[in-house]
Amino acid sequence: MTPVSSHPPHGQSPLRTVQVLGGGNAGSSAHVRSLAAGLVARGVKVTVCAPVEAECTYDFTGTGADHVHVPRSSDPVSVAALRAACADADLVHAHGLHASFRAALALSGRRVRTPLVVTWHDRAHAEGARAHLLRALERRVMRAATVVLGTTSQLVDGARQTGARDARLGPVALPGRTARPAGPEDPDRLRPKLRAELGAVERPLLVAVGSLEEHRGYDVLLDAAHVWRRLDPAPLVVVAGEGPLRGELQRRIEREALPVLLAGRRDDVPDLLAAADLALLPARRETGRSVLAQEALHACVPLVAADVGGIPELVGDAAELVPAGDAAALADSVVRLLADSDGRDRLRDRGVRQAATWPTEDETVAQVLSVYDELTQPTPLL
């Protein structure tokens, strides 16, 4: 891909952009930092509007961007702060539903229309009255956005159905991945120290990563663990993540004597995956680009994942896909792969090829910048 440069001609002011982030999940926050770094390097002036907690964690100013504290709230004070930060912007780019709604409010009523780009990383789920509220917010945002970038085809289709005038596929790179994977290293590199720490020295290690919430499908994982505990040796399932279901899941693990360890939040997920024999993604829904799936394939770890949402599009034939919510299918696939070293090797090889099709951070920045240029460059006269 030909590099895109936004360095302005001599005497012309640089493009001024504002990146709007709400509380932000880890994926969208890391994407904003990556995007800010790439844009600044290309001569774009970047202001990141985000809660101060996000700045402390992701150091947006360390990329050369400015940071403006805007609380994760849609109250008049927060909207006014965002409106002031966007006053001189050539373009505003919001990430996630709530940040996009605040950006739409902040830009409303202006005499000169400022382009609003929205990246839809995932689709929020709720039930009852909250679901109606979320759908109303989505409609408001889609109508206000100049361009919506959905990270999966499913999100692009959803944006169009919800009223977006211009919705496009805009995949985001896995943060920290600036180059193509070179290929699998030694497939038996199992990081003995980490495996010993976890208690998986002479037994298979299965790893799942993600918040302990209902949509992650960990109840299905525990159902499948009933089958795995009958194996000799029984594999150890390690779940890295925290969330509201920890107590419920832990009680079930103890009551049913399941070989599952809730490891809490980990800052060494790539190492954890590299030590694993298999990675597991039992999600009930996953509309965005799964970070775990990307990390697993980059780490050359065979992946067993639910055939749901954006996962099939993301992994292609490089993962073993099972029906969402089907514990028996999940259990059977894991048992079969643990007994089939050639099958695991095939998935590793396919994973390298599939990961090579994903955009790098540089390519993601170039794609976004091409959208910015399209929306901000004057239309030539015929």
Side-chain angles (χ1 to χ4, degrees), residues 333-369:
S333 290
V334 167
V335 170
R336 179 168 45 77
L337 280 173
L338 288 177
D340 183 5
S341 60
D342 289 341
R344 297 196 301 275
D345 287 342
R346 283 194 296 273
L347 287 179
R348 290 187 183 100
D349 292 339
R350 292 173 184 172
V352 171
R353 292 195 295 271
Q354 183 69 14
T357 69
W358 298 336
T360 64
E361 288 185 275
D362 284 344
E363 290 166 344
T364 298
V365 173
Q367 181 196 41
V368 169
L369 191 51

Side-chain angles (χ1 to χ4, degrees), residues 25-88:
N25 59 33
S28 59
S29 298
H31 170 61
V32 169
R33 189 188 196 284
S34 170
L35 192 57
L39 292 172
V40 169
R42 288 163 170 79
V44 177
K45 178 174 174 53
V46 178
T47 299
V48 178
C49 293
V52 68
E53 298 83 5
E55 163 63 16
C56 292
T57 302
Y58 292 94
D59 187 25
F60 302 116
T61 54
T63 69
D66 294 326
H67 171 254
V68 174
H69 169 60
V70 176
R72 191 178 188 274
S73 169
S74 297
D75 62 67
V77 174
S78 297
V79 172
L82 184 55
R83 182 177 291 115
C86 296
D88 296 324

